[in-house]
Structures are given as C-alpha cells and as structure tokens.
Amino acid sequence: MCATIARNEPSCEEKRALLIFGSPHPQGTAARLLGALEAALPPGTHVERFDCFAQPILPCNDCRACRRADGCALPDLDGFYPRLERADALVIATPVYNLSFPAPLKALIDRMQRYWSARFVRGVRPPITREKQVVLLTTAGADSAEGGGLLERQLRPVLTILNGKLKAAVHYAGADAGRDAAAALEAAAEAGRRLWL
C-alpha cells in the first residue's frame, strides 16, 4: 500500500518519466523533439524535467568518496539523484557537439560515477533497483546521423549501472541545412506512445 504525499506526486499506479534536456536552446530542435515525445506520453504519466543548462553541474573530480559510501561528495545534484532513482523512464534530448554530448550533459553523465562505484567497488547489485526505459533524442547540424549513433554508443555503458534499457533512439540530422524535422518529430512522438509497451 502507498500514500500520495503531495498533490503533485504521482499515485502508486502512475509511471514516472524524467526528461533530461541537454540543449542551451529552449526553442530549438531538441526541445521540439522532446515536446513531441512528452505530448504523446500515455495519460497519467508523471513527468519531471531536468535542464542541464539551467544550473551549473560540477564535473566529477574523482574524489572517490562514492567508493567508500553511498552518495556524492558534491552537493549540486542532491535533488537530482532521488528523481533519477525513482524514475521508470529516462528521456534524454540533446544536440550533438563534436560527436559527443554538450559539456553540461556530459558532466551529468560523468556524475553517474557514484552508481558505478556502488556496483563495481562496493558490490551493490543493482545500484538502482527501479528498472528504466530509456529514449535518446539527438539533433545534429551535420547532414549525417553518425553523431547520434556515437552518442548512443557512449550512453549504453552508463545505462547498465542505472538499470536502464535503451528502448528507442531518434536521430535528426541536417539542422544546419534546414532539413525538414517532421519525420523525426513523428518518431519522437511514437517513442512516447510506446514507452510503456
């Protein structure tokens, strides 16, 4: 049995989706893809957002505190970690920067070190108990989906320690040339509709 503590908290039956936004452009293509997915989520999905550019994310400095005890010595993500752990789904929307993630999102990903240490140093298996469906949405100025594929490859090892499984990836390329994004927007919406299937 569970109790809903606050009006904005989901009920026991609702699924939680954590949307991680990795772009500096709140009206850009990554935002449009994320909006299309969010609008298509099944009714009753409890949505939380985390904007990587809205607050400075300190980089992991390999202090190794997480090797000795649960948590992170840096306090800036204290509010993020519980949201991540209780999410049933993660949606990451990001542009491709130099065939990688933008610096704030990369810093966030590197700060998952606390879960790597839990799993591989302290023997906590799994370090996050709640399984997660994951969707990756990428945008690229270049006229090639290569960057999106590389981000997918970089993300997969991190998902193993987050108890996440990549359910879908949508890669939009050609933004600098103004390529039509309609197909990518529909693919993002379809990923939202099928998130819990």
Side-chain angles (χ1 to χ4, degrees):
M1 180 175 223
C2 82
T4 300
I5 298 170
R7 291 183 64 196
N8 63 346
E9 286 294 308
S11 71
C12 300
E13 297 80 28
E14 287 179 316
K15 296 285 192 178
R16 291 177 182 261
L18 177 57
L19 312 184
I20 299 174
F21 187 58
S23 172
H25 302 293
Q27 307 301 321
T29 311
R32 290 174 56 212
L33 290 176
L34 187 60
L37 182 144
E38 182 178 4
L41 288 172
T45 302
H46 179 79
V47 175
E48 294 185 280
R49 287 180 165 263
F50 185 83
D51 186 336
C52 294
F53 279 85
Q55 68 176 47
I57 299 170
L58 298 171
C60 178
N61 60 10
D62 194 30
C63 71
R64 302 188 178 201
C66 60
R67 290 182 174 222
R68 297 183 296 275
D70 187 34
C72 180
L74 302 173
D76 59 315
L77 294 178
D78 286 352
F80 172 80
Y81 290 126
R83 294 162 68 190
L84 170 68
E85 291 175 17
R86 68 181 175 241
D88 298 295
L90 299 177
V91 179
I92 301 168
T94 181
V96 176
Y97 279 16
N98 297 308
L99 300 180
S100 189
F101 295 98
L105 179 52
K106 179 64 166 71
L108 182 72
I109 291 169
D110 287 348
R111 292 284 295 283
M112 299 304 106
Q113 181 68 19
R114 66 172 284 187
Y115 300 110
W116 185 92
S117 292
R119 168 64 179 86
F120 293 105
V121 177
R122 298 194 335 269
V124 179
R125 299 177 184 177
I128 294 179
T129 56
R130 188 179 295 269
E131 293 181 358
K132 297 163 192 341
Q133 301 298 318
V134 182
V135 177
L136 176 64
L137 308 172
T138 71
T139 65
D143 197 19
S144 165
E146 177 188 14
L150 286 172
L151 267 60
E152 215 176 303
R153 285 172 48 197
Q154 291 176 50
L155 188 60
R156 284 185 188 276
V158 177
L159 296 182
T160 64
I161 59 170
L162 301 183
N163 206 354
K165 178 181 178 185
L166 190 62
K167 173 115 180 174
V170 177
H171 305 303
Y172 165 74
D176 289 348
R179 178 182 283 175
D180 184 12
L185 290 166
E186 177 50 37
E190 182 65 10
R193 286 189 290 269
R194 298 183 58 80
L195 191 57
W196 309 125
L197 300 180

